[in-house]
Amino acid sequence: MKEIKRAVDDRLPKWLHSKILSAVDYIWSVKSDDNETMKRVSQVSQVLDGEQMCWVMMLLTLPKLNAMIMQGEEYKKFADMRRTIN
């Protein structure tokens, strides 16, 4: 990965740093191929430090986490409450 310093990197939270988002994109683009995904995770882990790698892995799991939350009872109660307000 080629590092490019972006002007927004100084203003955004570290988990939205262009280096992190580029790594997420690099891994996400092969998500349907488990072997290639693991290869890319390994490659990225050689470039990023532990905290940065943690942010990458957390961002990659957000869709699954979102699905789990939306199936939970608290979310269903919240959605029902929103429907009654509107």
Side-chain angles (χ1 to χ4, degrees), residues 14-17 19-21 23-24 27 41-42 44-62 65:
K14 52 186 153 187
W15 57 88
L16 295 177
H17 190 285
K19 182 190 298 189
I20 304 300
L21 295 179
V24 170
I27 296 167
V41 168
S42 180
V44 169
S45 71
Q46 300 299 313
V47 178
L48 301 179
D49 65 30
E51 181 184 14
Q52 293 169 331
M53 199 60 203
C54 191
W55 289 122
V56 168
M57 299 308 289
M58 282 191 275
L59 289 170
L60 287 168
T61 61
L62 278 178
L65 179 60

Side-chain angles (χ1 to χ4, degrees), residues 26-38 40:
Y26 179 66
I27 296 167
W28 188 263
S29 66
V30 294
K31 68 180 184 231
S32 60
D33 182 343
D34 289 344
N35 289 331
E36 185 62 25
T37 298
M38 294 305 293
R40 289 187 180 199

